[in-house]
Amino acid sequence: MTVTPAATSTRLAAGLPWLASLGEHGDQAALITASGVLSHADLAGRVDEVTERLAGPRRLVLLEGTNTVTTVVTYLAALTAGHVVLLAAAGASGPSEALRAAYDPDIVVGADAAIEVVRAESAHDLHPDLALLLS
């Protein structure tokens, strides 16, 4: 698989250069799961695909975190797109309604990777150094 440079923002280049060069490690193992090994090149390709779906101005993304490749890919894609991630524990009924009500995210991503864009522009004044919120 040939990996082209990710379509990264200037925010990423300044703050997370390791993410921009993810695919440069080629066939080396990036993630080892029960179903197999995902190479850095494959991970970078998946991240690029999701990054395109999350493209737009910097926003707050509520991500329902599970122990899956999909969550890792979505988390890295949100960072690549320059967003701030609010990582929420997976719940039976989706992302925590309490966190959603308290933080009013601009984008919500469920454990099934369904992306709900709540608004096109952020309702928040996000500090430029902020990348991750953990409850």
Side-chain angles (χ1 to χ4, degrees):
M1 173 179 181
T2 303
V3 178
T4 57
T8 58
S9 68
T10 54
R11 289 184 302 270
L12 170 67
L16 301 168
W18 63 270
L19 195 48
S21 63
L22 188 63
E24 293 175 13
H25 300 285
D27 291 334
Q28 293 180 27
L31 297 174
I32 300 172
T33 69
S35 60
V37 176
L38 187 67
S39 73
H40 277 83
D42 289 338
L43 178 60
R46 290 185 189 193
V47 168
D48 286 348
E49 289 174 12
V50 179
T51 299
E52 289 179 24
R53 294 175 47 208
L54 293 172
R58 189 165 195 245
R59 292 172 280 179
L60 179 61
V61 177
L62 173 63
L63 172 60
E64 181 177 349
T66 58
N67 190 16
T68 63
V69 171
T70 300
T71 294
V72 172
V73 167
T74 305
Y75 172 67
L76 295 176
L79 292 179
T80 299
H83 300 303
V84 174
V85 177
L86 169 59
L87 191 58
S93 62
S96 167
E97 291 306 315
L99 283 177
R100 190 169 180 164
Y103 287 92
D104 187 26
D106 304 306
I107 300 172
V108 177
V109 183
D112 60 356
I115 298 173
E116 175 192 350
V117 177
V118 177
R119 63 186 66 83
E121 299 284 330
S122 185
H124 310 281
D125 182 16
L126 302 167
H127 191 278
D129 293 338
L130 184 61
L132 175 65
L133 296 172
L134 295 174
S135 171

